[in-house]
Every structure is written in structure tokens, then in C-alpha cells.
Coordinates of all heavy atoms in Angstrom, one line a residue:
M151 N -154.2 -54.8 -86.4 CA -154.9 -55.1 -85.2 C -154.3 -54.2 -84.0 O -153.1 -54.3 -83.8 CB -154.9 -56.5 -84.8 CG -155.9 -57.4 -85.5 SD -156.1 -58.9 -84.6 CE -157.1 -59.8 -85.7
G152 N -155.2 -53.6 -83.3 CA -154.7 -52.8 -82.2 C -155.2 -53.4 -80.9 O -156.0 -54.2 -80.9
V153 N -154.6 -52.9 -79.8 CA -155.0 -53.4 -78.5 C -155.4 -52.2 -77.7 O -154.7 -51.2 -77.6 CB -153.8 -54.1 -77.8 CG1 -154.2 -54.5 -76.4 CG2 -153.4 -55.3 -78.6
A154 N -156.5 -52.3 -77.0 CA -156.9 -51.2 -76.1 C -156.8 -51.8 -74.7 O -157.4 -52.9 -74.4 CB -158.3 -50.8 -76.4
V155 N -156.1 -51.2 -73.8 CA -155.9 -51.7 -72.5 C -156.7 -50.8 -71.5 O -156.6 -49.6 -71.6 CB -154.4 -51.8 -72.1 CG1 -154.3 -52.3 -70.6 CG2 -153.6 -52.6 -73.0
M156 N -157.5 -51.5 -70.6 CA -158.3 -50.7 -69.7 C -157.9 -51.2 -68.3 O -157.8 -52.4 -68.0 CB -159.8 -50.9 -70.0 CG -160.7 -50.1 -69.2 SD -162.4 -50.1 -69.8 CE -162.8 -51.8 -69.8
W157 N -157.8 -50.2 -67.4 CA -157.4 -50.5 -66.0 C -158.7 -50.4 -65.1 O -159.3 -49.3 -65.1 CB -156.3 -49.5 -65.5 CG -155.9 -49.8 -64.1 CD1 -156.4 -49.3 -63.0 CD2 -154.8 -50.6 -63.7 NE1 -155.7 -49.7 -61.9 CE2 -154.7 -50.6 -62.3 CE3 -153.9 -51.5 -64.4 CZ2 -153.8 -51.3 -61.6 CZ3 -153.0 -52.2 -63.7 CH2 -152.9 -52.1 -62.3
I158 N -159.1 -51.5 -64.5 CA -160.3 -51.4 -63.7 C -160.0 -52.1 -62.4 O -159.7 -53.3 -62.4 CB -161.5 -52.1 -64.4 CG1 -161.9 -51.4 -65.6 CG2 -162.7 -52.1 -63.4 CD1 -163.0 -52.1 -66.4
T159 N -160.1 -51.4 -61.3 CA -159.9 -51.9 -59.9 C -158.7 -52.8 -59.8 O -158.7 -53.9 -59.3 CB -161.1 -52.6 -59.4 OG1 -161.3 -53.8 -60.2 CG2 -162.3 -51.7 -59.4
G160 N -157.6 -52.4 -60.4 CA -156.3 -53.1 -60.3 C -156.1 -54.2 -61.3 O -155.1 -54.9 -61.3
W161 N -157.1 -54.5 -62.1 CA -157.0 -55.5 -63.1 C -156.8 -54.9 -64.5 O -157.4 -53.9 -64.8 CB -158.2 -56.4 -63.1 CG -158.4 -57.2 -61.9 CD1 -159.0 -56.9 -60.8 CD2 -157.8 -58.5 -61.7 NE1 -158.9 -57.9 -59.8 CE2 -158.1 -58.9 -60.4 CE3 -156.9 -59.3 -62.4 CZ2 -157.7 -60.1 -59.8 CZ3 -156.5 -60.5 -61.8 CH2 -156.9 -60.9 -60.5
V162 N -156.1 -55.5 -65.3 CA -155.9 -55.0 -66.7 C -156.7 -55.9 -67.7 O -156.5 -57.1 -67.7 CB -154.4 -55.0 -67.1 CG1 -154.2 -54.6 -68.5 CG2 -153.6 -54.1 -66.2
F163 N -157.5 -55.3 -68.4 CA -158.3 -56.1 -69.4 C -157.8 -55.6 -70.8 O -157.7 -54.4 -71.1 CB -159.8 -55.8 -69.3 CG -160.4 -56.2 -68.0 CD1 -160.5 -55.4 -66.9 CD2 -160.8 -57.5 -67.9 CE1 -161.0 -55.8 -65.7 CE2 -161.3 -58.0 -66.7 CZ -161.4 -57.1 -65.6
E164 N -157.6 -56.6 -71.7 CA -157.2 -56.3 -73.0 C -158.3 -56.6 -74.0 O -159.0 -57.6 -73.9 CB -156.0 -57.1 -73.5 CG -154.7 -56.8 -72.7 CD -153.5 -57.6 -73.1 OE1 -153.7 -58.3 -74.1 OE2 -152.5 -57.4 -72.6
Y165 N -158.6 -55.6 -74.9 CA -159.6 -55.8 -75.9 C -158.9 -55.8 -77.3 O -158.3 -54.8 -77.6 CB -160.7 -54.7 -75.8 CG -161.5 -54.7 -74.6 CD1 -161.1 -53.9 -73.5 CD2 -162.5 -55.6 -74.4 CE1 -161.8 -54.0 -72.3 CE2 -163.3 -55.6 -73.3 CZ -162.9 -54.8 -72.2 OH -163.6 -54.9 -71.0
W166 N -159.0 -56.8 -78.0 CA -158.4 -56.9 -79.3 C -159.4 -56.4 -80.4 O -160.5 -56.8 -80.3 CB -157.9 -58.3 -79.6 CG -156.8 -58.8 -78.7 CD1 -157.0 -59.3 -77.5 CD2 -155.4 -58.6 -79.0 NE1 -155.7 -59.6 -77.0 CE2 -154.8 -59.2 -77.9 CE3 -154.7 -58.1 -80.0 CZ2 -153.4 -59.2 -77.8 CZ3 -153.3 -58.2 -79.9 CH2 -152.7 -58.7 -78.8
D167 N -158.9 -55.7 -81.3 CA -159.7 -55.3 -82.5 C -159.9 -56.6 -83.3 O -159.0 -57.2 -83.7 CB -159.0 -54.2 -83.3 CG -158.9 -52.9 -82.6 OD1 -159.7 -52.7 -81.6 OD2 -158.1 -52.1 -83.0
M168 N -161.1 -56.9 -83.6 CA -161.4 -58.1 -84.3 C -161.7 -57.8 -85.8 O -162.2 -56.7 -86.1 CB -162.7 -58.8 -83.7 CG -162.4 -59.3 -82.3 SD -161.2 -60.6 -82.4 CE -160.9 -60.8 -80.7
A169 N -161.4 -58.7 -86.6 CA -161.7 -58.5 -88.0 C -163.2 -58.5 -88.3 O -163.9 -59.3 -87.7 CB -161.0 -59.7 -88.8
N170 N -163.6 -57.7 -89.2 CA -165.0 -57.6 -89.5 C -165.2 -58.1 -90.9 O -165.7 -57.4 -91.8 CB -165.5 -56.1 -89.4 CG -167.0 -56.0 -89.5 OD1 -167.7 -57.0 -89.4 ND2 -167.5 -54.8 -89.7
S171 N -164.8 -59.4 -91.1 CA -164.9 -60.0 -92.5 C -165.1 -61.5 -92.3 O -165.2 -62.0 -91.2 CB -163.6 -59.7 -93.2 OG -162.5 -60.3 -92.6
Y172 N -165.1 -62.2 -93.4 CA -165.2 -63.6 -93.4 C -163.8 -64.3 -93.3 O -162.8 -63.7 -93.6 CB -165.9 -64.1 -94.7 CG -167.3 -63.6 -94.9 CD1 -167.7 -62.9 -96.0 CD2 -168.3 -63.9 -93.9 CE1 -169.0 -62.4 -96.1 CE2 -169.5 -63.5 -94.1 CZ -169.9 -62.8 -95.2 OH -171.2 -62.3 -95.3
R173 N -163.8 -65.5 -92.9 CA -162.6 -66.3 -92.9 C -162.3 -66.5 -94.4 O -163.2 -66.7 -95.2 CB -162.8 -67.6 -92.2 CG -163.0 -67.5 -90.8 CD -163.4 -68.9 -90.3 NE -163.4 -68.9 -88.8 CZ -162.5 -69.5 -88.0 NH1 -161.5 -70.0 -88.5 NH2 -162.6 -69.4 -86.7
P174 N -161.0 -66.5 -94.8 CA -160.7 -66.6 -96.2 C -161.0 -68.1 -96.7 O -160.8 -69.0 -96.0 CB -159.2 -66.3 -96.2 CG -158.7 -66.6 -94.9 CD -159.9 -66.3 -94.0
V175 N -161.5 -68.1 -97.9 CA -161.7 -69.4 -98.6 C -160.7 -69.4 -99.8 O -161.0 -68.7 -100.8 CB -163.1 -69.6 -99.1 CG1 -163.3 -70.9 -99.9 CG2 -164.1 -69.6 -97.9
D176 N -159.7 -70.2 -99.7 CA -158.7 -70.2 -100.7 C -158.6 -71.6 -101.3 O -157.9 -72.5 -100.8 CB -157.3 -69.7 -100.2 CG -156.3 -69.6 -101.3 OD1 -156.6 -69.8 -102.5 OD2 -155.1 -69.4 -100.9
R177 N -159.3 -71.9 -102.3 CA -159.3 -73.2 -102.9 C -158.1 -73.5 -103.7 O -157.9 -74.6 -104.2 CB -160.6 -73.4 -103.8 CG -161.8 -73.4 -102.9 CD -163.1 -73.7 -103.7 NE -164.2 -73.8 -102.9 CZ -165.0 -72.8 -102.6 NH1 -164.8 -71.6 -103.1 NH2 -166.1 -73.0 -101.8
D178 N -157.3 -72.5 -104.0 CA -156.0 -72.7 -104.7 C -154.8 -72.8 -103.7 O -153.7 -72.8 -104.1 CB -155.7 -71.5 -105.6 CG -156.8 -71.4 -106.7 OD1 -157.3 -72.4 -107.2 OD2 -157.2 -70.2 -107.0
Q179 N -155.1 -72.9 -102.4 CA -154.1 -73.0 -101.4 C -153.2 -74.3 -101.6 O -153.8 -75.4 -101.8 CB -154.7 -73.0 -100.0 CG -153.7 -73.2 -98.9 CD -154.4 -73.1 -97.6 OE1 -155.6 -72.9 -97.5 NE2 -153.6 -73.4 -96.5
A180 N -152.0 -74.2 -101.5 CA -151.1 -75.3 -101.7 C -150.9 -76.1 -100.3 O -150.8 -75.4 -99.3 CB -149.7 -74.9 -102.2
F181 N -150.9 -77.4 -100.4 CA -150.7 -78.2 -99.2 C -149.4 -79.0 -99.4 O -148.8 -79.0 -100.5 CB -151.8 -79.2 -99.0 CG -153.1 -78.6 -98.5 CD1 -154.0 -78.0 -99.3 CD2 -153.3 -78.6 -97.1 CE1 -155.2 -77.5 -98.9 CE2 -154.5 -78.0 -96.6 CZ -155.4 -77.5 -97.5
L182 N -148.9 -79.6 -98.3 CA -147.7 -80.4 -98.4 C -147.9 -81.5 -99.5 O -147.1 -81.7 -100.4 CB -147.3 -80.9 -97.1 CG -146.1 -81.8 -97.0 CD1 -144.9 -80.9 -97.4 CD2 -145.8 -82.3 -95.6
L183 N -148.9 -82.4 -99.2 CA -149.2 -83.5 -100.2 C -150.7 -83.6 -100.3 O -151.4 -83.7 -99.3 CB -148.7 -84.8 -99.7 CG -147.2 -85.0 -99.6 CD1 -146.8 -86.3 -98.9 CD2 -146.6 -84.9 -101.0
P184 N -151.3 -83.6 -101.4 CA -150.8 -83.2 -102.7 C -150.6 -81.7 -102.8 O -151.1 -81.0 -101.9 CB -151.9 -83.6 -103.7 CG -153.1 -83.6 -102.9 CD -152.7 -84.0 -101.5
P185 N -149.8 -81.2 -103.7 CA -149.4 -79.8 -103.7 C -150.6 -78.8 -104.0 O -150.5 -77.6 -103.7 CB -148.4 -79.7 -104.8 CG -148.4 -80.9 -105.6 CD -149.1 -81.9 -104.7
D186 N -151.7 -79.3 -104.5 CA -152.8 -78.4 -104.8 C -154.1 -79.1 -104.5 O -154.3 -80.3 -104.8 CB -152.8 -78.1 -106.3 CG -153.8 -77.0 -106.7 OD1 -154.5 -76.5 -105.8 OD2 -153.8 -76.7 -107.9
M187 N -155.1 -78.4 -103.9 CA -156.4 -79.1 -103.6 C -157.1 -79.6 -104.8 O -157.8 -80.6 -104.7 CB -157.3 -78.0 -102.9 CG -157.0 -77.8 -101.4 SD -158.1 -76.7 -100.6 CE -159.6 -77.5 -100.7
A188 N -156.9 -79.0 -105.9 CA -157.5 -79.4 -107.2 C -157.0 -80.8 -107.6 O -157.7 -81.5 -108.3 CB -157.3 -78.4 -108.3
D189 N -155.9 -81.2 -107.1 CA -155.3 -82.6 -107.4 C -156.1 -83.7 -106.7 O -156.0 -84.8 -107.0 CB -153.9 -82.7 -107.0 CG -153.0 -81.8 -107.9 OD1 -153.5 -81.4 -109.0 OD2 -151.9 -81.5 -107.5
W190 N -156.9 -83.3 -105.6 CA -157.6 -84.3 -104.9 C -158.8 -84.8 -105.6 O -159.3 -85.9 -105.4 CB -158.0 -83.7 -103.5 CG -156.9 -83.6 -102.6 CD1 -155.6 -83.9 -102.7 CD2 -157.1 -83.0 -101.3 NE1 -154.9 -83.6 -101.6 CE2 -155.8 -83.0 -100.7 CE3 -158.1 -82.5 -100.6 CZ2 -155.6 -82.5 -99.4 CZ3 -157.9 -82.0 -99.3 CH2 -156.6 -82.0 -98.7
L191 N -159.4 -84.0 -106.5 CA -160.6 -84.3 -107.1 C -160.5 -84.2 -108.6 O -159.9 -83.3 -109.1 CB -161.8 -83.4 -106.7 CG -162.1 -83.3 -105.2 CD1 -163.1 -82.2 -104.9 CD2 -162.6 -84.7 -104.7
P192 N -161.1 -85.1 -109.4 CA -161.1 -84.9 -110.8 C -161.9 -83.7 -111.3 O -162.8 -83.3 -110.5 CB -161.7 -86.3 -111.4 CG -162.4 -86.8 -110.2 CD -161.8 -86.3 -109.0
G193 N -161.7 -83.3 -112.5 CA -162.4 -82.1 -112.9 C -163.9 -82.2 -113.0 O -164.7 -81.2 -113.0
D194 N -164.4 -83.5 -113.2 CA -165.9 -83.7 -113.3 C -166.5 -84.1 -112.0 O -167.6 -84.6 -112.0 CB -166.1 -84.7 -114.4 CG -165.5 -86.1 -114.1 OD1 -164.7 -86.1 -113.2 OD2 -165.9 -87.1 -114.8
H195 N -165.8 -83.9 -110.9 CA -166.4 -84.3 -109.6 C -167.6 -83.4 -109.2 O -167.7 -82.2 -109.6 CB -165.3 -84.2 -108.5 CG -165.6 -84.9 -107.2 ND1 -166.3 -84.3 -106.2 CD2 -165.4 -86.1 -106.8 CE1 -166.5 -85.1 -105.2 NE2 -165.9 -86.3 -105.6
L196 N -168.5 -84.0 -108.4 CA -169.7 -83.3 -108.0 C -169.4 -82.0 -107.2 O -170.1 -81.0 -107.3 CB -170.6 -84.2 -107.2 CG -171.9 -83.6 -106.6 CD1 -172.8 -83.2 -107.7 CD2 -172.5 -84.6 -105.6
A197 N -168.3 -82.0 -106.4 CA -167.9 -80.8 -105.6 C -167.7 -79.6 -106.5 O -168.1 -78.5 -106.2 CB -166.7 -81.1 -104.8
W198 N -167.1 -79.8 -107.6 CA -166.8 -78.6 -108.5 C -168.1 -78.1 -109.1 O -168.3 -76.9 -109.3 CB -165.9 -79.0 -109.7 CG -164.5 -79.4 -109.2 CD1 -163.9 -80.6 -109.4 CD2 -163.6 -78.7 -108.4 NE1 -162.7 -80.6 -108.8 CE2 -162.5 -79.5 -108.1 CE3 -163.6 -77.4 -107.8 CZ2 -161.4 -79.0 -107.4 CZ3 -162.6 -77.0 -107.0 CH2 -161.4 -77.8 -106.9
F199 N -169.1 -79.0 -109.4 CA -170.4 -78.6 -109.9 C -171.1 -77.8 -108.8 O -171.7 -76.8 -109.2 CB -171.2 -79.9 -110.3 CG -172.6 -79.5 -110.6 CD1 -172.9 -78.9 -111.8 CD2 -173.6 -79.8 -109.7 CE1 -174.2 -78.6 -112.1 CE2 -174.9 -79.5 -110.0 CZ -175.3 -78.9 -111.2
M200 N -171.0 -78.3 -107.6 CA -171.7 -77.5 -106.5 C -171.1 -76.2 -106.3 O -171.9 -75.2 -106.1 CB -171.6 -78.3 -105.2 CG -172.4 -79.6 -105.2 SD -174.2 -79.2 -105.2 CE -174.9 -80.9 -105.3
I201 N -169.8 -76.0 -106.4 CA -169.2 -74.7 -106.3 C -169.6 -73.8 -107.4 O -170.0 -72.6 -107.1 CB -167.6 -74.9 -106.3 CG1 -167.1 -75.6 -105.0 CG2 -166.9 -73.5 -106.5 CD1 -165.7 -76.0 -105.0
D202 N -169.7 -74.3 -108.6 CA -170.1 -73.5 -109.7 C -171.6 -73.1 -109.6 O -172.0 -72.0 -109.9 CB -169.9 -74.2 -111.0 CG -168.4 -74.3 -111.4 OD1 -167.6 -73.5 -110.8 OD2 -168.1 -75.2 -112.2
M203 N -172.4 -74.0 -109.1 CA -173.8 -73.8 -108.9 C -174.1 -72.7 -107.9 O -174.9 -71.8 -108.1 CB -174.6 -75.1 -108.5 CG -176.1 -74.9 -108.4 SD -176.9 -76.5 -108.0 CE -176.4 -76.7 -106.3
V204 N -173.4 -72.7 -106.7 CA -173.6 -71.7 -105.7 C -173.1 -70.4 -106.2 O -173.6 -69.3 -105.9 CB -172.9 -72.1 -104.4 CG1 -172.9 -71.0 -103.4 CG2 -173.7 -73.3 -103.8
K205 N -172.0 -70.3 -107.0 CA -171.5 -69.1 -107.6 C -172.6 -68.4 -108.4 O -172.6 -67.2 -108.5 CB -170.2 -69.3 -108.4 CG -169.0 -69.5 -107.6 CD -167.8 -69.7 -108.5 CE -166.5 -70.0 -107.8 NZ -165.4 -70.2 -108.7
A206 N -173.4 -69.2 -109.1 CA -174.4 -68.7 -110.0 C -175.7 -68.3 -109.2 O -176.5 -67.6 -109.8 CB -174.8 -69.8 -111.0
M207 N -175.8 -68.6 -108.0 CA -177.0 -68.3 -107.2 C -176.8 -66.8 -106.6 O -175.7 -66.3 -106.4 CB -177.1 -69.2 -106.0 CG -177.4 -70.6 -106.3 SD -177.3 -71.7 -104.9 CE -179.0 -72.2 -104.8
D208 N -178.0 -66.3 -106.3 CA -178.0 -65.0 -105.6 C -178.1 -65.2 -104.1 O -179.1 -65.6 -103.6 CB -179.2 -64.2 -106.1 CG -179.3 -62.8 -105.4 OD1 -178.3 -62.4 -104.8 OD2 -180.4 -62.2 -105.4
T209 N -176.9 -65.1 -103.4 CA -176.9 -65.4 -102.0 C -176.7 -64.1 -101.2 O -176.3 -64.1 -100.0 CB -175.6 -66.3 -101.7 OG1 -174.5 -65.6 -102.2 CG2 -175.8 -67.6 -102.4
D210 N -177.2 -63.0 -101.7 CA -177.1 -61.7 -101.0 C -177.8 -61.7 -99.7 O -177.4 -61.1 -98.7 CB -177.6 -60.5 -101.9 CG -176.7 -60.3 -103.0 OD1 -175.5 -60.7 -103.0 OD2 -177.2 -59.6 -104.0
A211 N -179.0 -62.4 -99.6 CA -179.7 -62.5 -98.4 C -178.9 -63.1 -97.2 O -179.0 -62.7 -96.1 CB -181.0 -63.3 -98.6
F212 N -178.1 -64.1 -97.5 CA -177.2 -64.7 -96.5 C -176.2 -63.7 -96.0 O -175.8 -63.7 -94.8 CB -176.5 -66.0 -97.1 CG -177.4 -67.1 -97.4 CD1 -177.4 -67.6 -98.6 CD2 -178.3 -67.6 -96.4 CE1 -178.3 -68.7 -99.0 CE2 -179.2 -68.6 -96.7 CZ -179.2 -69.2 -98.0
H213 N -175.6 -62.9 -96.9 CA -174.6 -61.9 -96.5 C -175.2 -60.8 -95.8 O -174.5 -60.1 -95.0 CB -173.9 -61.5 -97.8 CG -173.1 -62.6 -98.5 ND1 -171.8 -63.0 -98.1 CD2 -173.4 -63.4 -99.5 CE1 -171.4 -63.9 -98.9 NE2 -172.4 -64.2 -99.7
A214 N -176.5 -60.4 -96.0 CA -177.1 -59.3 -95.4 C -177.3 -59.5 -93.9 O -177.3 -58.5 -93.2 CB -178.4 -59.0 -96.1
G215 N -177.4 -60.7 -93.5 CA -177.6 -60.9 -92.0 C -176.4 -60.9 -91.2 O -176.4 -61.1 -90.0
R216 N -175.2 -60.7 -91.8 CA -173.9 -60.7 -91.1 C -173.8 -59.5 -90.2 O -174.1 -58.4 -90.5 CB -172.8 -60.7 -92.1 CG -171.4 -60.7 -91.5 CD -170.4 -61.0 -92.5 NE -170.3 -59.9 -93.5 CZ -169.4 -58.9 -93.4 NH1 -168.6 -58.9 -92.4 NH2 -169.3 -58.0 -94.3
A217 N -173.3 -59.7 -89.0 CA -173.1 -58.6 -88.0 C -172.0 -57.7 -88.5 O -171.0 -58.2 -88.9 CB -172.8 -59.2 -86.6
Q218 N -172.2 -56.4 -88.4 CA -171.3 -55.4 -88.8 C -170.6 -54.7 -87.6 O -170.0 -53.7 -87.8 CB -172.0 -54.4 -89.7 CG -172.6 -55.0 -91.0 CD -171.6 -55.4 -92.0 OE1 -170.5 -54.8 -92.1 NE2 -171.9 -56.3 -92.8
S219 N -170.7 -55.3 -86.4 CA -170.2 -54.6 -85.3 C -168.7 -54.5 -85.2 O -168.1 -53.7 -84.5 CB -170.7 -55.2 -84.0 OG -170.2 -56.5 -83.9
G220 N -168.0 -55.4 -85.9 CA -166.5 -55.4 -85.8 C -166.0 -56.2 -84.6 O -164.8 -56.3 -84.4
Q221 N -166.9 -56.8 -83.9 CA -166.5 -57.6 -82.7 C -166.7 -59.1 -83.0 O -167.5 -59.5 -83.7 CB -167.2 -57.2 -81.5 CG -167.0 -55.8 -81.0 CD -167.8 -55.4 -79.8 OE1 -168.6 -56.2 -79.3 NE2 -167.5 -54.2 -79.3
G222 N -165.9 -59.9 -82.3 CA -166.0 -61.3 -82.5 C -165.1 -61.8 -83.6 O -164.4 -61.1 -84.3
R223 N -165.1 -63.1 -83.7 CA -164.3 -63.8 -84.6 C -164.9 -63.7 -86.0 O -166.1 -63.6 -86.2 CB -164.3 -65.3 -84.2 CG -163.2 -66.1 -84.9 CD -163.1 -67.4 -84.2 NE -162.0 -68.2 -84.8 CZ -161.7 -69.4 -84.4 NH1 -162.4 -70.0 -83.4 NH2 -160.7 -70.0 -84.9
A224 N -164.0 -63.8 -87.0 CA -164.5 -63.7 -88.4 C -165.4 -64.8 -88.7 O -165.2 -66.0 -88.3 CB -163.3 -63.7 -89.3
A225 N -166.4 -64.6 -89.5 CA -167.4 -65.6 -89.8 C -167.0 -66.4 -91.0 O -166.1 -66.0 -91.8 CB -168.8 -64.9 -90.1
Y226 N -167.6 -67.6 -91.1 CA -167.4 -68.4 -92.3 C -168.2 -67.8 -93.4 O -169.3 -67.3 -93.2 CB -167.8 -69.9 -92.1 CG -166.9 -70.6 -91.1 CD1 -167.2 -70.9 -89.8 CD2 -165.6 -71.1 -91.6 CE1 -166.4 -71.5 -89.0 CE2 -164.8 -71.8 -90.8 CZ -165.2 -72.0 -89.4 OH -164.3 -72.7 -88.6
N227 N -167.7 -67.9 -94.6 CA -168.3 -67.4 -95.8 C -169.6 -68.2 -96.0 O -169.6 -69.4 -96.2 CB -167.4 -67.5 -97.0 CG -168.0 -66.8 -98.2 OD1 -169.2 -66.9 -98.5 ND2 -167.1 -66.1 -98.9
P228 N -170.8 -67.5 -96.1 CA -172.0 -68.3 -96.3 C -172.1 -69.1 -97.6 O -172.7 -70.1 -97.7 CB -173.1 -67.2 -96.3 CG -172.5 -66.0 -95.6 CD -171.0 -66.1 -95.9
D229 N -171.4 -68.6 -98.7 CA -171.4 -69.3 -99.9 C -170.7 -70.7 -99.7 O -171.1 -71.7 -100.3 CB -170.7 -68.5 -101.0 CG -171.5 -67.3 -101.4 OD1 -172.7 -67.2 -101.1 OD2 -170.9 -66.4 -102.0
M230 N -169.6 -70.7 -99.0 CA -168.9 -71.9 -98.7 C -169.7 -72.9 -97.9 O -169.8 -74.1 -98.2 CB -167.5 -71.6 -98.0 CG -166.6 -72.8 -97.8 SD -166.9 -73.7 -96.3 CE -166.6 -72.5 -95.1
L231 N -170.4 -72.3 -96.9 CA -171.3 -73.2 -96.1 C -172.4 -73.8 -96.9 O -172.8 -74.9 -96.7 CB -171.8 -72.4 -94.9 CG -170.7 -72.0 -93.9 CD1 -171.3 -71.1 -92.8 CD2 -170.0 -73.2 -93.2
L232 N -173.0 -72.9 -97.7 CA -174.1 -73.4 -98.6 C -173.6 -74.5 -99.5 O -174.3 -75.5 -99.7 CB -174.7 -72.3 -99.4 CG -175.9 -72.6 -100.3 CD1 -177.0 -73.2 -99.5 CD2 -176.3 -71.4 -101.1
T233 N -172.5 -74.3 -100.1 CA -171.9 -75.4 -101.0 C -171.7 -76.7 -100.2 O -172.0 -77.7 -100.7 CB -170.5 -74.9 -101.5 OG1 -170.7 -73.6 -102.2 CG2 -169.9 -75.9 -102.5
L234 N -171.2 -76.6 -99.0 CA -170.9 -77.8 -98.2 C -172.2 -78.5 -97.8 O -172.4 -79.7 -97.9 CB -170.2 -77.4 -96.9 CG -169.9 -78.5 -95.9 CD1 -168.9 -79.5 -96.6 CD2 -169.3 -77.9 -94.7
L235 N -173.3 -77.7 -97.5 CA -174.6 -78.2 -97.2 C -175.2 -78.9 -98.3 O -175.7 -80.1 -98.2 CB -175.5 -77.1 -96.7 CG -176.9 -77.6 -96.3 CD1 -176.9 -78.4 -95.0 CD2 -177.8 -76.3 -96.1
L236 N -175.2 -78.3 -99.5 CA -175.8 -78.9 -100.7 C -175.0 -80.2 -101.1 O -175.6 -81.2 -101.6 CB -175.8 -77.9 -101.8 CG -176.8 -76.7 -101.6 CD1 -176.6 -75.7 -102.8 CD2 -178.2 -77.2 -101.5
Y237 N -173.7 -80.1 -101.0 CA -172.9 -81.3 -101.4 C -173.2 -82.5 -100.4 O -173.3 -83.6 -100.8 CB -171.4 -81.0 -101.3 CG -170.5 -82.1 -101.6 CD1 -170.3 -82.5 -102.9 CD2 -169.9 -82.9 -100.6 CE1 -169.5 -83.6 -103.2 CE2 -169.1 -84.0 -100.9 CZ -168.9 -84.3 -102.2 OH -168.1 -85.4 -102.5
A238 N -173.3 -82.2 -99.1 CA -173.7 -83.2 -98.2 C -175.0 -83.8 -98.5 O -175.2 -85.0 -98.5 CB -173.6 -82.7 -96.7
Y239 N -176.0 -82.9 -98.7 CA -177.4 -83.4 -99.0 C -177.4 -84.3 -100.3 O -178.1 -85.3 -100.4 CB -178.4 -82.3 -99.1 CG -178.8 -81.7 -97.8 CD1 -179.6 -80.6 -97.8 CD2 -178.5 -82.3 -96.6 CE1 -180.1 -80.1 -96.6 CE2 -178.9 -81.8 -95.4 CZ -179.7 -80.7 -95.4 OH -180.1 -80.2 -94.2
A240 N -176.6 -83.9 -101.3 CA -176.5 -84.6 -102.5 C -175.9 -86.0 -102.3 O -176.2 -86.9 -103.1 CB -175.7 -83.9 -103.6
N241 N -175.1 -86.2 -101.3 CA -174.5 -87.4 -100.9 C -175.2 -88.2 -99.8 O -174.7 -89.0 -99.2 CB -173.0 -87.2 -100.6 CG -172.2 -87.0 -101.8 OD1 -172.1 -87.8 -102.7 ND2 -171.7 -85.8 -101.9
R242 N -176.5 -87.7 -99.5 CA -177.3 -88.3 -98.5 C -176.7 -88.3 -97.1 O -176.9 -89.2 -96.3 CB -177.7 -89.7 -98.9 CG -178.5 -89.8 -100.2 CD -178.9 -91.2 -100.5 NE -179.7 -91.1 -101.7 CZ -180.0 -92.2 -102.4 NH1 -179.5 -93.3 -102.1 NH2 -180.7 -92.0 -103.5
V243 N -176.0 -87.2 -96.8 CA -175.5 -87.0 -95.5 C -176.3 -85.8 -94.9 O -176.2 -84.7 -95.3 CB -174.0 -86.6 -95.5 CG1 -173.5 -86.3 -94.1 CG2 -173.2 -87.7 -96.1
H244 N -177.2 -86.1 -93.9 CA -178.1 -85.2 -93.4 C -177.7 -84.7 -92.0 O -178.5 -84.0 -91.4 CB -179.5 -85.7 -93.4 CG -180.0 -86.1 -94.8 ND1 -180.4 -85.2 -95.7 CD2 -180.0 -87.3 -95.4 CE1 -180.7 -85.8 -96.8 NE2 -180.5 -87.1 -96.7
S245 N -176.6 -85.2 -91.5 CA -176.2 -84.9 -90.1 C -174.7 -84.6 -90.1 O -173.9 -85.3 -90.8 CB -176.5 -86.1 -89.2 OG -175.9 -85.9 -87.9
S246 N -174.3 -83.6 -89.3 CA -172.8 -83.4 -89.2 C -172.1 -84.5 -88.5 O -170.9 -84.6 -88.6 CB -172.6 -82.1 -88.5 OG -173.1 -82.1 -87.2
R247 N -172.8 -85.3 -87.8 CA -172.2 -86.5 -87.1 C -171.9 -87.6 -88.0 O -171.2 -88.5 -87.7 CB -173.1 -87.0 -86.0 CG -173.2 -85.9 -84.9 CD -174.1 -86.4 -83.8 NE -174.2 -85.4 -82.8 CZ -174.9 -85.5 -81.7 NH1 -175.4 -86.7 -81.4 NH2 -175.0 -84.5 -80.8
Q248 N -172.4 -87.6 -89.2 CA -172.1 -88.6 -90.2 C -170.9 -88.2 -91.0 O -170.3 -88.8 -91.7 CB -173.3 -88.8 -91.2 CG -174.5 -89.4 -90.5 CD -175.7 -89.5 -91.4 OE1 -175.8 -88.8 -92.5 NE2 -176.6 -90.4 -91.1

């Protein structure tokens, strides 16, 4: 990441180069307790089925709408968001406030 500094009327403005990618989704990431996310859910849990189902889908249309300007914060991966949405609907959660 680089920094571009611009001097305008006595003020210094800093512009940071932003990542032009998605936020990482690391389902194998180790935590303090339990040591692995996979330990939280049994192998036959609905969440694993939803992850596999979204992997099998063609989600190119979701990825095509992503801004390529290189500015702004990294976006969430649309596949991860779709998985979360489908899992919530499968559990009759239709609102983020629930």
C-alpha cells in the first residue's frame, strides 16, 4: 500500500491505495477456543450443505457487478453473503435484526 500526499492551501491530505479485492474468507482459520471453526459444527450440519450448494452455483453475475476502481474498502465475497442469506432463510430468519 502506498500513500500519496497532496498539499492544498496549507492542508495535507493523504490518500491511501485501497485493495481492489474481496475480504478474505478463511473457514480454516484457527481461533483461540475451539482451535478450528470446523469443530463448532458437526459434519452433517446445514451450514456445510449450504456452503457446498453455493460452490456448485454459477455466481458470476454477482461478481461482475463489483466496482473495479481500486478505491474504497474491500468488499465482502458475494458467495459468502449468498451462503449466509440462504442459511438464514432456511432457518426462517428473514431479518438481520433477528
Side-chain angles (χ1 to χ4, degrees):
M151 278 197 185
V153 178
V155 179
M156 187 167 56
W157 183 270
I158 299 177
T159 64
W161 293 92
V162 175
F163 296 94
E164 293 182 2
Y165 296 95
W166 292 87
D167 293 339
M168 295 296 171
N170 192 13
S171 62
Y172 296 121
R173 293 171 175 255
V175 176
D176 185 8
R177 291 186 177 93
D178 297 324
Q179 177 180 353
F181 285 86
L182 181 61
L183 292 174
D186 188 2
M187 282 182 64
D189 292 342
W190 288 357
L191 301 174
D194 60 347
H195 195 272
L196 177 63
W198 299 122
F199 171 74
M200 291 292 179
I201 290 169
D202 292 338
M203 185 176 70
V204 171
K205 281 182 186 177
M207 296 172 117
D208 180 18
T209 58
D210 291 340
F212 294 125
H213 296 276
R216 182 170 63 97
Q218 299 286 333
S219 65
Q221 295 181 355
R223 195 170 184 179
Y226 289 103
N227 187 319
D229 294 343
M230 186 270 302
L231 294 174
L232 179 61
T233 304
L234 179 63
L235 179 71
L236 293 175
Y237 179 79
Y239 282 174
N241 286 294
R242 297 184 179 163
V243 177
H244 301 279
S245 169
S246 62
R247 293 182 182 182
Q248 292 177 338

